[in-house]
Structures are given as structure tokens and as C-alpha cells.
Amino acid sequence: MADSVIELFDVTFRHKIPKPKLTNPWFKTKGAGIFSMNLSLKKGQILGLVGPNGAGKTTLLRVLAGIIPIDAGMVKLNGVDLSTLDNSIDNQLRANVGHMPEQVRWAGRVTVMQTLEKFAAMRPQSISSDKLLSLVGLKAKSDSPLDELSQGMRQRLSLAVALMGSPKILLLDEPFNGLDPVAAKSVEKMIKQLAKKGVTVIVSSHQVSGLVDLVDRLLLIHRGQLVADGTIDEIEANLGLNNRIEVSGTGQYPDLKKILSSSVIIDKIVHENYWQCTIQNPADDAMMEIVNAGCQITEWKRKPPDIVELLCHATGLEIEEIGMEIQSSTMMPLRLATEEE
């Protein structure tokens, strides 16, 4: 595929869960993971990875980073099947991918600069630790011990390590955790600058509202599988959420179902002297019909769904389930009756 930096074809990985048996105390069963994942990442794109707890987001990032080996499938890097090369798939990925884990327990009396230089010494090419610290805004803390860093500073240090070696692909797992709004904006700006230079960036975040203006493409993942992939506008259209307006007014709530016989009222909020409703597929003259019916309109605007709403519609889950659900090994895609577990 043109301009594709990395491609996954039917890639599967399942965590191994200990399940001792009398005859085999070391027996393990297959647990959660990712399943038949097909994905193509283009040069310079910013992708948002969203899913409920346990959906497989971190597992997917670890597979892409070469941290865990795949069970099945094919991985291509710049159009080349990595299984055909002398070096292992994992080593090839690690040489081209920068990975920022969700939590790194930076601790000790070692300074920030000393820590960065230890990581730089593992790289074959020369790396300027000063430039990296300046890039992530930690220059003033270069001589500070790790124990004295705030959570936000630890996130910046993790980002600096991920950027070593000028990776072609950058994986950020919850990069905004612990960052104040100003620092978060600074990281967003950095991500956009890297994308302009041709770096492909995947951002996995629970702060879904912040991804709307950041990402070029959205990946919705559930139970180890992609349930939606595309721009936000494309996913809206595919889920039937792309043609809605939100109308607010004062006074008694009017009988909009009668006024707008050709439209669908999908949601409404009614107070004593205020009301608000969402209309699906309104006719061109819908607002004129409402005004002519004597309704007092205070606001009328397009209602774009947020990313959580997209995820709810793509998975069939309620918002409460999206926020609280934790997947177990029994909540996986159906397998054939003849397939061994």
C-alpha cells in the first residue's frame, strides 16, 4: 500500500494465563489479546486509539513496538515482509519504533541527565541528551534526581526516551496522564510537529475529548478487534450519526414529533422553562417549521458525536459499560467448536 510505513495482516497475539493441571502444573491457557488484526499506518499520520478497559490497546502497542512476539499473521515494514529478513521481526520493529509506555516507575537518586545518557549509550548512533531534554521541556531538571520528579515530569522523561533514535513510528500510551493543560498542549504541538516531519504517531488515551482536534484518523478497538477505522467524519457516517442537529428553546416543550413528521427526535431534555432536543436527519425546512409553529428558539447547531458516543454505537455498549467494563478471557470473539483452546 502506497506510503504505508507499517502494515499488519491477520496479526494475532493472546496472553498466556497459568492454569495448572494435576498432570501438568505448568499448563497455560490462552487469554485476552488481539485477534486477526488488519491495520495500515501511513507516513505522517496521527492516529487515535480508543477502547474500553481491557480492549487490547496496550497489547497492540506492544506488538507494534516489538516488545511481544506475534502468534500468527504477517508484519510489513515499508512494504517488506519482516519474516523474510535475517533479523527477527521484534528486532526490526524495535529499531524503527519509539514506544512510550503508560507508566514508567522512574525512581532513585540518579539524575535525569544520567538516566537519559544510559539509554543513549544503548543506541548505535550518537544522541544529544541536551536536545532531547529541551524538546520535552526538562532542560531545567537535568540535574534533578528521579525521586524529585512530578508525575508530569516523569511522563516527559518517558517521551524523551521514546524519541531516541528519531523513530519513524511513535507509540504513545496515555501520554497526557499527569500533565497540566499547558503541558498537554505543548505535547500536542510536539506530536503535530513530528507528524509534519513524516513520523507516524499513535496516541492511546482515555481523554477522548482531547483527541478530536489532534488525530487524523481514529481506531476504535473492542475485545481485541478493530470495530471502526477511519476519519471521525467517516465513522460518523458509517454509524448513522452524521446528520443531526441540536435545538434549544424556552417555554413549554413543543410537540416536535407532530411539527416535524419527516424527522426523528432521538433525544430530549425538558426543564420547567427550557428544553433541548436532538433531531436526526432534519428536513431542509425543519427550522422554519419549528419557528412557524410559534416555538421560541435560542440555539440551533449541528451535533457531532464525541468519540465515546462513537465507541458506544460501534460496540453496542452503554456509556457506563464503556467506562467500567473489564474484559476477561471468556469475553473473546467466538471460535469454532473444533478449535482447540
Side-chain angles (χ1 to χ4, degrees):
M1 188 176 293
D3 299 324
S4 291
V5 179
I6 188 170
E7 298 168 88
L8 305 185
F9 298 91
D10 292 324
V11 167
T12 295
F13 170 83
R14 293 183 68 176
H15 296 279
K16 309 303 184 291
I17 302 174
K19 193 175 181 180
K21 294 183 176 181
L22 184 61
T23 56
N24 185 356
W26 296 279
F27 181 77
K28 293 183 179 181
T29 187
K30 295 179 181 178
I34 58 174
F35 304 87
S36 297
M37 186 74 68
N38 291 287
L39 180 62
S40 176
L41 308 182
K42 294 183 180 297
K43 181 178 179 181
Q45 272 193 335
I46 303 174
L47 300 96
L49 182 62
V50 177
N53 294 329
K57 302 186 298 298
T58 297
T59 298
L60 174 58
L61 294 184
R62 288 176 178 173
V63 166
L64 290 171
I67 297 174
I68 52 180
I70 63 175
D71 295 334
M74 179 173 62
V75 181
K76 285 187 176 182
L77 188 66
N78 296 317
V80 179
D81 181 358
L82 294 184
S83 65
T84 64
L85 302 179
D86 294 334
N87 209 343
S88 70
I89 294 177
D90 303 339
N91 285 337
Q92 289 291 327
L93 290 173
R94 286 195 289 269
N96 289 275
V97 179
H99 179 226
M100 176 183 169
E102 180 177 358
Q103 288 186 343
V104 179
R105 302 185 185 280
W106 300 111
R109 301 306 300 171
V110 179
T111 68
V112 171
M113 178 61 77
Q114 290 170 338
T115 301
L116 211 56
E117 287 178 342
K118 286 182 179 180
F119 280 94
M122 302 179 199
R123 296 280 179 170
Q125 68 272 44
S126 176
I127 294 173
S128 173
S129 297
D130 279 328
K131 288 184 178 180
L132 277 175
L133 289 178
S134 297
L135 182 63
V136 299
L138 274 182
K139 180 68 173 176
K141 293 290 183 179
S142 60
D143 295 324
S144 298
L146 298 180
D147 284 341
E148 296 180 5
L149 298 183
S150 66
Q151 174 61 24
M153 293 175 186
R154 289 184 170 93
Q155 289 290 88
R156 291 168 184 255
L157 180 56
S158 298
L159 181 58
V161 174
L163 289 170
M164 282 187 173
S166 301
K168 300 179 179 67
I169 304 166
L170 183 61
L171 312 176
L172 306 178
D173 198 351
E174 299 292 344
F176 304 112
N177 277 358
L179 299 183
D180 58 71
V182 176
K185 285 295 181 184
S186 177
V187 172
E188 286 182 18
K189 182 179 179 181
M190 187 189 311
I191 291 172
K192 291 179 180 178
Q193 289 173 341
L194 290 169
K196 287 182 179 179
K197 294 180 180 179
V199 178
T200 302
V201 185
I202 298 183
V203 182
S204 175
S205 176
H206 282 101
Q207 300 180 30
V208 292
S209 60
L211 295 180
V212 174
D213 296 323
L214 175 64
V215 302
D216 303 310
R217 182 172 148 209
L218 195 63
L219 306 175
L220 301 184
I221 187 171
H222 180 55
R223 297 186 181 179
Q225 296 175 307
L226 286 180
V227 294
D229 177 4
T231 66
I232 294 179
D233 289 342
E234 288 170 348
I235 296 175
E236 284 181 16
N238 291 337
L239 296 176
L241 300 173
N242 59 321
N243 188 18
R244 304 185 303 172
I245 62 171
E246 188 176 81
V247 182
S248 303
T250 57
Q252 186 177 2
Y253 177 70
D255 187 356
L256 291 181
K257 287 186 177 180
K258 184 177 180 180
I259 298 172
L260 304 174
S261 57
S262 61
S263 302
V264 179
I265 312 301
I266 60 174
D267 187 29
K268 67 178 180 181
I269 299 173
V270 180
H271 297 288
E272 184 177 351
N273 195 39
Y274 169 80
W275 56 268
Q276 184 181 81
C277 71
T278 301
I279 305 172
Q280 179 82 44
N281 297 322
D284 293 339
D285 58 350
M287 287 308 302
M288 184 64 68
E289 291 180 349
I290 296 175
V291 172
N292 290 339
C295 302
Q296 300 297 318
I297 304 300
T298 57
E299 188 177 22
W300 170 40
K301 62 182 179 182
R302 177 182 177 270
K303 180 178 173 62
D306 60 26
I307 297 178
V308 172
E309 190 177 7
L310 293 176
L311 188 58
C312 287
H313 279 75
T315 60
L317 296 173
E318 299 295 331
I319 291 179
E320 293 79 8
E321 295 175 293
I322 290 292
M324 299 300 293
E325 184 185 62
I326 298 178
Q327 305 295 345
S328 70
S329 58
T330 59
M331 299 175 70
M332 295 295 109
L334 293 175
R335 59 183 184 274
L336 298 176
T338 56
E339 181 182 351
E340 288 189 10
E341 179 58 25

Coordinates of all heavy atoms in Angstrom, one line a residue, residues 111-123 125-143 156-157 159-161 163-165:
T111 N 20.2 11.2 38.4 CA 19.6 12.4 37.8 C 19.0 12.1 36.4 O 19.2 11.0 35.8 CB 20.7 13.4 37.6 OG1 21.6 13.0 36.6 CG2 21.5 13.7 38.9
V112 N 18.2 13.1 36.0 CA 17.5 12.9 34.7 C 18.5 12.8 33.6 O 18.4 11.9 32.7 CB 16.6 14.2 34.5 CG1 16.1 14.2 33.0 CG2 15.5 14.2 35.5
M113 N 19.6 13.6 33.6 CA 20.6 13.5 32.5 C 21.3 12.2 32.5 O 21.5 11.6 31.5 CB 21.6 14.7 32.7 CG 22.7 14.7 31.7 SD 22.1 14.8 30.0 CE 21.8 16.6 30.0
Q114 N 21.7 11.7 33.7 CA 22.4 10.4 33.8 C 21.5 9.3 33.3 O 22.0 8.4 32.6 CB 22.8 10.1 35.3 CG 23.9 11.0 35.8 CD 24.1 10.9 37.3 OE1 23.2 10.5 38.0 NE2 25.3 11.3 37.8
T115 N 20.2 9.4 33.6 CA 19.3 8.3 33.1 C 19.2 8.3 31.6 O 19.2 7.3 31.0 CB 17.9 8.6 33.7 OG1 17.9 8.6 35.1 CG2 16.9 7.5 33.2
L116 N 19.0 9.5 31.0 CA 18.9 9.6 29.6 C 20.2 9.2 28.9 O 20.2 8.5 27.8 CB 18.6 11.1 29.2 CG 17.8 11.3 28.0 CD1 16.5 10.6 28.0 CD2 17.5 12.8 27.8
E117 N 21.4 9.5 29.5 CA 22.6 9.1 28.9 C 22.8 7.6 28.9 O 23.5 7.0 28.0 CB 23.8 9.8 29.6 CG 23.9 11.3 29.3 CD 25.0 12.0 30.0 OE1 25.5 11.5 31.0 OE2 25.3 13.1 29.6
K118 N 22.3 6.9 29.9 CA 22.3 5.4 30.0 C 21.6 4.8 28.8 O 22.0 3.9 28.2 CB 21.8 4.9 31.3 CG 22.7 5.2 32.5 CD 22.2 4.6 33.8 CE 23.1 4.8 35.0 NZ 22.6 4.3 36.2
F119 N 20.4 5.4 28.6 CA 19.6 4.9 27.4 C 20.3 5.2 26.1 O 20.3 4.4 25.2 CB 18.2 5.5 27.5 CG 17.3 4.8 28.4 CD1 17.1 5.3 29.7 CD2 16.5 3.7 28.0 CE1 16.2 4.6 30.6 CE2 15.7 3.0 28.9 CZ 15.5 3.5 30.2
A120 N 20.9 6.4 26.0 CA 21.6 6.8 24.8 C 22.7 5.9 24.5 O 23.1 5.6 23.3 CB 22.0 8.3 24.9
A121 N 23.4 5.4 25.5 CA 24.6 4.5 25.4 C 24.2 3.2 24.7 O 25.0 2.5 24.1 CB 25.3 4.3 26.7
M122 N 22.9 2.8 24.8 CA 22.4 1.6 24.2 C 22.2 1.7 22.7 O 22.0 0.7 22.0 CB 21.2 1.1 24.9 CG 21.3 0.9 26.4 SD 19.7 0.3 27.1 CE 19.9 0.7 28.8
R123 N 22.2 2.9 22.2 CA 21.9 3.2 20.8 C 23.2 3.2 20.0 O 24.2 3.7 20.4 CB 21.2 4.5 20.6 CG 19.8 4.6 21.3 CD 18.8 3.9 20.4 NE 17.4 4.0 21.1 CZ 16.3 3.6 20.4 NH1 16.4 3.3 19.2 NH2 15.2 3.6 21.0
Q125 N 23.8 4.9 17.3 CA 24.1 6.2 16.8 C 24.2 7.2 17.9 O 23.8 7.0 19.0 CB 23.0 6.7 15.8 CG 21.6 7.0 16.4 CD 20.7 5.8 16.5 OE1 21.2 4.7 16.8 NE2 19.5 6.0 16.2
S126 N 24.9 8.3 17.6 CA 25.1 9.4 18.6 C 23.8 10.1 18.9 O 23.1 10.5 18.0 CB 26.2 10.4 18.1 OG 26.3 11.4 19.1
I127 N 23.5 10.4 20.2 CA 22.3 11.0 20.6 C 22.6 12.2 21.5 O 23.4 12.0 22.4 CB 21.3 10.0 21.3 CG1 20.8 9.0 20.3 CG2 20.1 10.8 21.9 CD1 20.0 7.9 20.9
S128 N 22.0 13.3 21.2 CA 22.2 14.5 22.1 C 21.1 14.5 23.2 O 20.0 14.8 22.9 CB 22.1 15.8 21.2 OG 22.1 16.9 22.1
S129 N 21.5 14.2 24.4 CA 20.6 14.2 25.5 C 20.1 15.6 25.8 O 19.0 15.8 26.2 CB 21.3 13.6 26.8 OG 21.6 12.3 26.5
D130 N 21.0 16.6 25.6 CA 20.6 18.0 25.9 C 19.4 18.4 25.0 O 18.5 19.0 25.4 CB 21.8 19.0 25.6 CG 22.7 19.0 26.8 OD1 22.2 18.9 27.9 OD2 23.9 19.2 26.6
K131 N 19.5 18.1 23.7 CA 18.4 18.4 22.7 C 17.1 17.7 23.1 O 16.1 18.3 23.0 CB 18.9 18.1 21.3 CG 19.9 19.0 20.7 CD 20.2 18.6 19.3 CE 21.3 19.6 18.7 NZ 21.6 19.2 17.3
L132 N 17.2 16.5 23.5 CA 16.0 15.7 23.9 C 15.3 16.4 25.1 O 14.1 16.5 25.1 CB 16.4 14.3 24.1 CG 16.5 13.3 22.9 CD1 16.9 12.0 23.4 CD2 15.1 13.2 22.2
L133 N 16.1 16.7 26.1 CA 15.6 17.3 27.3 C 14.9 18.7 27.0 O 13.9 19.0 27.5 CB 16.6 17.5 28.4 CG 17.1 16.2 29.0 CD1 18.2 16.5 30.0 CD2 16.0 15.5 29.7
S134 N 15.6 19.4 26.1 CA 15.0 20.7 25.7 C 13.7 20.5 24.9 O 12.7 21.2 25.1 CB 16.0 21.5 24.8 OG 17.2 21.8 25.5
L135 N 13.7 19.5 24.1 CA 12.5 19.2 23.3 C 11.3 18.9 24.1 O 10.1 19.3 23.8 CB 12.8 18.0 22.3 CG 11.6 17.6 21.4 CD1 11.3 18.8 20.4 CD2 12.0 16.4 20.6
V136 N 11.5 18.1 25.2 CA 10.3 17.7 26.1 C 10.2 18.7 27.3 O 9.3 18.4 28.1 CB 10.5 16.3 26.6 CG1 10.5 15.3 25.4 CG2 11.7 16.1 27.5
G137 N 11.0 19.7 27.4 CA 10.8 20.7 28.4 C 11.3 20.3 29.8 O 10.8 20.7 30.8
L138 N 12.4 19.5 29.8 CA 13.0 19.0 31.0 C 14.4 19.6 31.2 O 15.2 19.1 32.1 CB 13.1 17.5 31.1 CG 11.8 16.8 31.6 CD1 12.0 15.3 31.7 CD2 11.4 17.3 33.0
K139 N 14.9 20.5 30.4 CA 16.2 21.0 30.5 C 16.6 21.5 31.9 O 17.7 21.3 32.4 CB 16.4 22.1 29.4 CG 17.8 22.7 29.4 CD 18.8 21.8 28.9 CE 20.2 22.4 28.7 NZ 21.2 21.5 28.2
A140 N 15.6 22.2 32.5 CA 15.9 22.8 33.8 C 16.0 21.8 34.9 O 16.5 22.1 36.0 CB 14.8 23.8 34.2
K141 N 15.5 20.5 34.6 CA 15.5 19.5 35.6 C 16.6 18.4 35.3 O 16.6 17.3 35.9 CB 14.2 18.8 35.7 CG 13.1 19.7 36.2 CD 13.2 19.9 37.7 CE 12.1 20.8 38.2 NZ 12.2 21.0 39.7
S142 N 17.6 18.7 34.4 CA 18.5 17.7 34.0 C 19.4 17.2 35.2 O 19.8 16.0 35.1 CB 19.5 18.3 32.9 OG 20.2 19.5 33.4
D143 N 19.6 18.0 36.2 CA 20.4 17.6 37.3 C 19.6 17.1 38.5 O 20.1 16.8 39.6 CB 21.4 18.7 37.8 CG 22.4 19.0 36.7 OD1 22.9 18.1 36.0 OD2 22.8 20.2 36.5
R156 N 7.3 13.3 30.8 CA 8.2 14.0 29.8 C 9.5 13.1 29.6 O 10.0 13.0 28.5 CB 8.5 15.4 30.3 CG 7.3 16.3 30.2 CD 7.7 17.6 31.0 NE 6.6 18.5 31.1 CZ 6.4 19.7 30.4 NH1 7.4 20.0 29.5 NH2 5.4 20.4 30.5
L157 N 10.0 12.6 30.7 CA 11.2 11.8 30.6 C 10.9 10.5 29.7 O 11.8 10.1 28.9 CB 11.7 11.4 32.0 CG 13.0 10.5 32.0 CD1 14.1 11.2 31.3 CD2 13.4 10.3 33.5
L159 N 8.8 10.3 27.4 CA 8.7 10.7 26.0 C 10.1 10.9 25.4 O 10.3 10.6 24.2 CB 7.8 12.0 25.9 CG 7.6 12.6 24.6 CD1 6.9 11.6 23.6 CD2 6.7 13.9 24.7
A160 N 11.0 11.5 26.2 CA 12.3 11.7 25.7 C 13.0 10.4 25.3 O 13.7 10.3 24.3 CB 13.1 12.5 26.7
V161 N 12.8 9.4 26.1 CA 13.4 8.1 25.8 C 12.8 7.5 24.5 O 13.5 6.9 23.7 CB 13.2 7.1 27.0 CG1 13.7 5.7 26.6 CG2 14.0 7.6 28.2
L163 N 11.7 9.1 22.0 CA 12.1 9.8 20.9 C 13.6 9.6 20.5 O 14.0 10.1 19.4 CB 11.9 11.3 21.1 CG 10.5 11.8 21.1 CD1 10.4 13.3 21.6 CD2 9.8 11.7 19.8
M164 N 14.3 8.8 21.2 CA 15.7 8.5 20.9 C 15.8 7.7 19.6 O 15.0 6.8 19.3 CB 16.3 7.6 22.0 CG 16.7 8.4 23.2 SD 17.6 7.4 24.4 CE 18.1 8.6 25.6
G165 N 16.8 8.1 18.8 CA 17.0 7.4 17.5 C 16.1 7.9 16.4 O 16.1 7.2 15.4

